[in-house]
Coordinates of all heavy atoms in Angstrom, one line a residue:
M143 N -42.9 93.9 238.9 CA -42.4 94.5 237.6 C -41.0 94.1 237.4 O -40.2 94.1 238.3 CB -42.5 96.0 237.6 CG -43.9 96.5 237.1 SD -44.0 98.3 237.2 CE -43.3 98.8 235.7
N144 N -40.8 93.8 236.2 CA -39.4 93.4 235.8 C -38.8 94.5 234.9 O -39.0 94.5 233.7 CB -39.5 92.0 235.1 CG -38.1 91.5 234.8 OD1 -37.1 91.9 235.4 ND2 -38.0 90.5 233.9
M145 N -38.0 95.3 235.6 CA -37.3 96.4 234.8 C -35.9 95.9 234.4 O -35.1 95.6 235.2 CB -37.1 97.6 235.7 CG -38.4 98.2 236.2 SD -39.2 99.3 235.0 CE -38.2 100.8 235.3
R146 N -35.8 95.8 233.1 CA -34.5 95.3 232.6 C -33.6 96.5 232.3 O -34.0 97.5 231.7 CB -34.7 94.5 231.3 CG -35.3 93.2 231.6 CD -35.2 92.3 230.4 NE -33.9 91.6 230.4 CZ -33.5 90.8 229.4 NH1 -34.2 90.6 228.4 NH2 -32.4 90.1 229.5
R147 N -32.4 96.4 232.8 CA -31.4 97.5 232.5 C -30.6 97.1 231.3 O -30.2 96.0 231.1 CB -30.5 97.7 233.7 CG -31.2 98.3 234.9 CD -30.2 98.8 235.8 NE -30.8 99.6 236.9 CZ -30.2 100.4 237.7 NH1 -28.9 100.6 237.5 NH2 -30.8 101.1 238.6
Y148 N -30.4 98.1 230.5 CA -29.5 97.9 229.3 C -28.1 97.8 229.8 O -27.7 98.6 230.7 CB -29.7 99.1 228.3 CG -31.0 99.0 227.6 CD1 -32.1 99.7 228.0 CD2 -31.1 98.2 226.4 CE1 -33.3 99.7 227.3 CE2 -32.2 98.1 225.7 CZ -33.3 98.9 226.2 OH -34.5 98.8 225.5
P149 N -27.3 97.0 229.2 CA -25.9 96.9 229.7 C -25.2 98.2 229.3 O -25.5 98.8 228.3 CB -25.4 95.7 228.9 CG -26.3 95.5 227.7 CD -27.7 96.0 228.2
I150 N -24.3 98.5 230.2 CA -23.5 99.7 230.0 C -22.5 99.5 228.8 O -21.9 98.4 228.7 CB -22.6 100.0 231.2 CG1 -23.6 100.4 232.4 CG2 -21.7 101.2 230.9 CD1 -22.9 100.4 233.7
K151 N -22.5 100.4 227.9 CA -21.7 100.3 226.7 C -20.2 100.3 227.1 O -19.8 101.3 227.7 CB -22.0 101.4 225.7 CG -21.7 101.0 224.3 CD -22.3 102.0 223.3 CE -21.2 103.0 222.9 NZ -21.7 104.0 221.9
K152 N -19.6 99.3 226.7 CA -18.1 99.3 227.0 C -17.3 99.9 225.9 O -17.7 99.7 224.7 CB -17.7 97.8 227.2 CG -18.1 97.2 228.5 CD -17.5 95.9 228.7 CE -17.9 95.2 230.0 NZ -17.5 93.8 230.0
I153 N -16.3 100.5 226.2 CA -15.4 101.0 225.2 C -14.3 100.0 225.0 O -13.5 99.6 225.8 CB -14.7 102.4 225.6 CG1 -15.8 103.4 225.8 CG2 -13.6 102.8 224.7 CD1 -15.2 104.8 226.2
S154 N -14.4 99.4 223.8 CA -13.4 98.3 223.5 C -12.4 98.9 222.5 O -12.6 100.0 222.0 CB -14.1 97.1 222.9 OG -14.6 97.4 221.6
T155 N -11.4 98.1 222.3 CA -10.3 98.6 221.4 C -10.9 98.7 219.9 O -10.3 99.4 219.1 CB -9.1 97.7 221.4 OG1 -9.6 96.3 221.2 CG2 -8.4 97.8 222.7
E156 N -12.0 98.0 219.7 CA -12.6 98.1 218.4 C -13.1 99.5 218.0 O -13.2 99.9 216.9 CB -13.7 97.1 218.2 CG -13.3 95.6 218.2 CD -14.4 94.7 218.4 OE1 -15.5 95.0 217.9 OE2 -14.2 93.6 219.0
N157 N -13.5 100.2 219.1 CA -14.1 101.5 218.9 C -13.0 102.6 218.8 O -13.3 103.7 218.6 CB -15.0 101.8 220.0 CG -16.2 100.9 220.0 OD1 -16.7 100.5 219.0 ND2 -16.8 100.6 221.2
M158 N -11.8 102.2 219.1 CA -10.7 103.2 219.2 C -10.5 103.8 217.8 O -10.7 103.2 216.8 CB -9.4 102.5 219.6 CG -9.5 101.8 220.9 SD -9.5 103.0 222.3 CE -7.7 102.8 222.8
V159 N -10.2 105.1 217.9 CA -9.9 105.8 216.6 C -8.5 106.3 216.6 O -7.9 106.6 217.7 CB -10.9 107.0 216.5 CG1 -12.3 106.5 216.2 CG2 -10.8 107.9 217.6
E160 N -8.0 106.5 215.5 CA -6.6 107.0 215.4 C -6.6 108.5 215.5 O -7.4 109.2 214.7 CB -6.0 106.6 214.1 CG -4.5 106.7 214.1 CD -3.9 106.1 212.8 OE1 -4.1 106.6 211.8 OE2 -3.1 105.1 213.0
A161 N -5.8 109.1 216.3 CA -5.8 110.5 216.5 C -4.3 111.0 216.5 O -3.4 110.2 216.8 CB -6.5 110.9 217.8
V162 N -4.1 112.2 216.1 CA -2.8 112.8 216.2 C -2.5 113.2 217.6 O -3.3 114.0 218.2 CB -2.6 113.9 215.2 CG1 -1.2 114.5 215.3 CG2 -3.0 113.5 213.8
V163 N -1.5 112.8 218.2 CA -1.2 113.1 219.6 C 0.3 113.5 219.7 O 1.1 113.2 218.9 CB -1.4 111.9 220.5 CG1 -2.8 111.4 220.5 CG2 -0.5 110.7 220.2
W164 N 0.5 114.2 220.8 CA 1.9 114.5 221.2 C 2.4 113.4 222.1 O 1.7 113.1 223.1 CB 2.0 115.9 222.0 CG 1.8 117.0 221.1 CD1 0.6 117.8 221.0 CD2 2.7 117.7 220.3 NE1 0.8 118.8 220.1 CE2 2.1 118.8 219.6 CE3 4.1 117.4 220.0 CZ2 2.7 119.6 218.7 CZ3 4.7 118.3 219.1 CH2 4.0 119.3 218.5
N165 N 3.5 112.8 221.8 CA 4.1 111.8 222.6 C 5.3 112.3 223.3 O 6.2 112.9 222.7 CB 4.5 110.6 221.7 CG 3.5 109.4 221.8 OD1 2.9 109.2 222.8 ND2 3.3 108.7 220.7
C166 N 5.5 111.9 224.5 CA 6.7 112.3 225.3 C 7.9 111.6 224.7 O 7.8 110.4 224.3 CB 6.5 111.9 226.7 SG 7.9 112.3 227.7
S167 N 9.0 112.4 224.6 CA 10.2 111.8 224.0 C 11.0 111.1 225.0 O 12.0 110.4 224.7 CB 11.0 112.9 223.3 OG 11.3 113.9 224.3
E168 N 10.7 111.2 226.3 CA 11.5 110.6 227.4 C 11.2 109.1 227.5 O 10.0 108.7 227.5 CB 11.1 111.3 228.7 CG 11.9 110.8 229.9 CD 13.3 111.3 229.9 OE1 13.6 112.3 229.2 OE2 14.2 110.6 230.4
K169 N 12.3 108.3 227.5 CA 12.1 106.9 227.6 C 11.5 106.6 229.0 O 11.9 107.1 230.0 CB 13.4 106.2 227.5 CG 13.9 106.0 226.0 CD 15.2 105.2 226.0 CE 15.7 105.1 224.5 NZ 17.0 104.5 224.5
G170 N 10.6 105.7 229.0 CA 10.0 105.3 230.2 C 8.8 106.1 230.7 O 8.1 105.8 231.6
C171 N 8.6 107.2 230.0 CA 7.4 108.1 230.3 C 6.4 107.9 229.2 O 6.7 107.9 228.0 CB 7.8 109.5 230.3 SG 6.4 110.6 230.7
N172 N 5.2 107.6 229.6 CA 4.1 107.4 228.6 C 3.2 108.5 228.5 O 2.0 108.4 228.2 CB 3.4 106.0 228.9 CG 2.7 106.0 230.2 OD1 2.9 107.0 231.0 ND2 2.1 104.9 230.6
G173 N 3.7 109.7 228.8 CA 2.9 110.9 228.7 C 2.5 111.2 227.2 O 3.3 111.1 226.3
W174 N 1.3 111.6 227.0 CA 0.8 112.0 225.7 C -0.4 112.8 225.8 O -1.1 112.8 226.9 CB 0.5 110.7 224.8 CG -0.7 109.9 225.3 CD1 -0.6 108.9 226.3 CD2 -2.1 110.0 224.9 NE1 -1.9 108.4 226.5 CE2 -2.8 109.1 225.7 CE3 -2.8 110.8 224.0 CZ2 -4.2 108.9 225.5 CZ3 -4.1 110.7 223.9 CH2 -4.8 109.7 224.6
M175 N -0.7 113.6 224.8 CA -2.0 114.4 224.8 C -2.4 114.6 223.4 O -1.6 114.6 222.5 CB -1.8 115.7 225.6 CG -0.6 116.5 225.2 SD -0.5 117.8 226.5 CE 1.0 118.6 225.9
R176 N -3.7 114.8 223.3 CA -4.3 115.0 221.9 C -3.8 116.3 221.3 O -3.9 117.3 222.0 CB -5.8 115.0 222.0 CG -6.4 113.6 222.2 CD -7.9 113.8 222.4 NE -8.5 112.7 223.2 CZ -9.1 111.7 222.7 NH1 -9.3 111.6 221.5 NH2 -9.6 110.8 223.5
Q177 N -3.4 116.2 220.1 CA -2.9 117.4 219.4 C -4.0 118.4 219.3 O -3.8 119.6 219.4 CB -2.3 117.0 218.1 CG -1.5 118.1 217.5 CD -2.1 118.8 216.3 OE1 -3.0 118.2 215.7 NE2 -1.7 120.0 215.9
Q178 N -5.3 118.0 219.1 CA -6.4 118.9 218.8 C -6.7 119.7 220.1 O -7.4 120.7 220.0 CB -7.6 118.2 218.3 CG -8.3 117.2 219.3 CD -9.5 116.5 218.7 OE1 -9.4 115.3 218.4 NE2 -10.5 117.2 218.4
F179 N -6.3 119.2 221.3 CA -6.6 119.9 222.5 C -5.4 120.7 223.0 O -5.4 121.3 224.0 CB -6.9 118.9 223.6 CG -8.3 118.3 223.4 CD1 -8.5 117.0 223.9 CD2 -9.3 118.9 222.6 CE1 -9.8 116.4 223.7 CE2 -10.5 118.3 222.4 CZ -10.7 117.0 222.9
T180 N -4.3 120.7 222.2 CA -3.1 121.4 222.6 C -3.0 122.7 221.8 O -3.0 122.7 220.6 CB -1.9 120.5 222.3 OG1 -2.1 119.2 222.8 CG2 -0.6 121.0 222.9
L181 N -2.9 123.8 222.6 CA -2.8 125.1 221.9 C -1.3 125.4 221.5 O -1.1 126.1 220.6 CB -3.4 126.1 222.8 CG -4.8 126.0 223.2 CD1 -5.3 127.0 224.2 CD2 -5.7 126.1 221.9
E182 N -0.4 124.9 222.3 CA 1.0 125.2 222.0 C 1.5 124.6 220.8 O 1.0 123.5 220.4 CB 1.9 124.8 223.2 CG 1.6 125.5 224.5 CD 1.3 124.6 225.6 OE1 0.2 124.1 225.7 OE2 2.2 124.3 226.4
K183 N 2.4 125.2 220.1 CA 3.0 124.6 218.9 C 4.0 123.5 219.3 O 4.2 122.6 218.5 CB 3.7 125.7 218.1 CG 2.8 126.6 217.3 CD 3.5 127.5 216.4 CE 2.6 128.4 215.6 NZ 3.3 129.4 214.8
Q184 N 4.6 123.7 220.4 CA 5.6 122.7 220.9 C 5.5 122.5 222.4 O 6.2 123.1 223.1 CB 7.0 123.1 220.5 CG 8.1 122.1 220.9 CD 7.9 120.7 220.2 OE1 8.0 120.6 219.0 NE2 7.7 119.7 221.1
P185 N 4.5 121.6 222.8 CA 4.3 121.5 224.2 C 5.3 120.6 224.9 O 6.0 119.9 224.2 CB 2.9 120.8 224.2 CG 2.8 120.0 223.0 CD 3.6 120.8 222.0
N186 N 5.4 120.8 226.2 CA 6.2 119.9 227.0 C 5.3 118.9 227.7 O 4.2 119.2 228.0 CB 7.0 120.7 228.0 CG 8.1 121.5 227.3 OD1 8.7 121.1 226.3 ND2 8.4 122.7 227.8
C187 N 5.9 117.8 228.0 CA 5.2 116.7 228.7 C 4.7 117.2 230.1 O 5.5 117.7 230.8 CB 6.1 115.5 228.9 SG 5.3 114.2 229.8
P188 N 3.4 117.0 230.3 CA 2.9 117.4 231.6 C 3.4 116.6 232.8 O 3.3 117.0 234.0 CB 1.4 117.3 231.5 CG 1.2 116.3 230.4 CD 2.4 116.4 229.5
H189 N 4.0 115.4 232.5 CA 4.5 114.5 233.5 C 5.9 114.8 233.9 O 6.3 114.9 235.1 CB 4.3 113.1 233.1 CG 2.9 112.7 232.9 ND1 2.0 112.5 233.9 CD2 2.2 112.5 231.7 CE1 0.8 112.2 233.3 NE2 0.9 112.1 232.0
C190 N 6.8 114.9 232.9 CA 8.2 115.0 233.2 C 8.8 116.3 232.6 O 10.0 116.6 232.8 CB 8.9 113.8 232.7 SG 8.9 113.6 230.9
G191 N 8.1 117.0 231.8 CA 8.6 118.3 231.2 C 9.5 118.1 230.0 O 10.0 119.1 229.5
S192 N 9.6 116.9 229.5 CA 10.4 116.7 228.3 C 9.7 117.2 227.1 O 8.5 117.4 227.1 CB 10.7 115.2 228.1 OG 11.5 114.8 229.2
S193 N 10.5 117.4 226.0 CA 9.8 117.8 224.7 C 9.0 116.6 224.2 O 9.2 115.5 224.5 CB 10.9 118.2 223.7 OG 11.7 117.1 223.5
M194 N 8.0 117.0 223.3 CA 7.1 116.0 222.8 C 7.2 116.0 221.3 O 7.5 117.1 220.7 CB 5.7 116.2 223.3 CG 5.6 116.3 224.8 SD 3.9 116.5 225.4 CE 3.5 114.7 225.6
S195 N 6.8 114.9 220.7 CA 6.8 114.8 219.2 C 5.5 114.3 218.7 O 4.8 113.6 219.4 CB 7.9 113.9 218.7 OG 7.8 112.7 219.3
L196 N 5.1 114.8 217.6 CA 3.8 114.4 217.0 C 3.8 112.9 216.6 O 4.8 112.5 216.0 CB 3.4 115.3 215.8 CG 2.8 116.6 216.2 CD1 2.6 117.4 214.9 CD2 1.5 116.5 216.9
D197 N 2.8 112.2 216.9 CA 2.6 110.8 216.5 C 1.2 110.5 216.4 O 0.3 111.3 216.6 CB 3.3 110.0 217.6 CG 3.8 108.6 217.0 OD1 3.4 108.3 215.8 OD2 4.6 108.0 217.6
K198 N 0.9 109.3 216.0 CA -0.5 108.8 215.9 C -0.7 107.8 217.0 O 0.2 107.0 217.3 CB -0.8 108.3 214.5 CG -1.1 109.4 213.5 CD -1.4 108.9 212.2 CE -1.6 110.0 211.2 NZ -1.8 109.5 209.8
K199 N -1.9 107.7 217.5 CA -2.2 106.8 218.6 C -3.7 106.5 218.5 O -4.5 107.3 218.1 CB -1.9 107.5 219.9 CG -2.1 106.7 221.2 CD -1.8 107.6 222.4 CE -2.1 106.8 223.7 NZ -1.1 105.8 224.0
L200 N -4.0 105.2 218.9 CA -5.4 104.8 219.0 C -5.9 105.3 220.3 O -5.4 104.9 221.4 CB -5.5 103.3 218.9 CG -5.2 102.7 217.5 CD1 -5.3 101.2 217.5 CD2 -6.3 103.2 216.5
V201 N -7.0 106.1 220.3 CA -7.6 106.6 221.5 C -9.1 106.4 221.5 O -9.7 106.1 220.4 CB -7.3 108.1 221.6 CG1 -5.8 108.4 221.7 CG2 -7.9 108.9 220.4
P202 N -9.7 106.4 222.6 CA -11.2 106.2 222.6 C -11.8 107.4 221.9 O -11.4 108.5 221.9 CB -11.5 106.3 224.1 CG -10.3 106.0 224.9 CD -9.2 106.5 224.0
P203 N -13.0 107.1 221.2 CA -13.6 108.1 220.4 C -14.2 109.2 221.3 O -14.6 108.9 222.5 CB -14.7 107.4 219.7 CG -15.0 106.1 220.5 CD -13.6 105.8 221.1
L204 N -14.3 110.4 220.8 CA -14.7 111.5 221.6 C -16.2 111.7 221.5 O -16.8 112.5 222.3 CB -14.1 112.8 221.1 CG -12.6 112.9 221.4 CD1 -12.0 114.1 220.7 CD2 -12.3 113.0 222.9
N205 N -16.9 111.1 220.6 CA -18.3 111.4 220.3 C -19.2 110.6 221.2 O -20.4 110.6 221.0 CB -18.6 111.2 218.9 CG -18.2 109.8 218.3 OD1 -17.8 109.0 219.1 ND2 -18.4 109.6 217.1
D206 N -18.7 109.8 222.2 CA -19.5 109.0 223.1 C -20.2 110.0 224.1 O -19.5 110.9 224.7 CB -18.7 108.0 223.9 CG -18.6 106.7 223.1 OD1 -19.0 106.7 221.9 OD2 -18.3 105.7 223.7
P207 N -21.4 109.9 224.2 CA -22.1 110.8 225.2 C -21.6 110.5 226.6 O -21.5 109.4 227.0 CB -23.6 110.6 225.0 CG -23.6 109.2 224.4 CD -22.4 109.1 223.6
L208 N -21.4 111.5 227.4 CA -21.0 111.3 228.8 C -22.2 110.8 229.6 O -23.3 111.2 229.4 CB -20.5 112.6 229.4 CG -19.2 113.2 228.8 CD1 -19.0 114.6 229.3 CD2 -18.1 112.3 229.1
P209 N -21.9 109.9 230.6 CA -23.0 109.4 231.4 C -23.7 110.4 232.2 O -23.1 111.4 232.6 CB -22.3 108.3 232.2 CG -20.9 108.7 232.2 CD -20.6 109.4 230.9
Ligands
ZN294 ZN1 7.1 112.7 229.8

């Protein structure tokens, strides 16, 4: 029997969506998190503790089913 496997769907930059994110204000730190998952009005960076500012970023889509 020849069972063919479907190729695993890759997440490419073409599928990226623009989302509102908190960006770390610290130079050299690339900490960020999705604003929709952030409950705080003014969160601090989880990596370095600096203040964060709202920005837009291309992120992988959330509607992909988990494996
Ligand atoms: Zn940071």
Side-chain angles (χ1 to χ4, degrees):
M143 269 175 86
N144 186 16
M145 300 276 281
R146 289 193 87 181
R147 287 197 175 198
Y148 286 96
I150 297 167
K151 206 169 100 181
K152 284 184 184 171
I153 295 178
S154 71
T155 50
E156 290 168 34
N157 295 327
M158 302 283 261
V159 293
E160 196 174 63
V162 180
V163 299
W164 288 100
N165 255 327
C166 179
S167 59
E168 184 69 28
K169 279 182 184 174
C171 178
N172 57 1
W174 66 275
M175 50 190 176
R176 289 175 207 259
Q177 196 251 339
Q178 70 182 108
F179 292 153
T180 310
L181 298 175
E182 294 126 280
K183 283 184 178 174
Q184 180 61 62
N186 288 325
C187 176
H189 299 286
C190 67
S192 297
S193 60
M194 306 186 89
S195 55
L196 279 176
D197 206 346
K198 282 179 179 174
K199 183 183 174 73
L200 287 176
V201 297
L204 290 172
N205 54 5
D206 270 16
L208 293 171

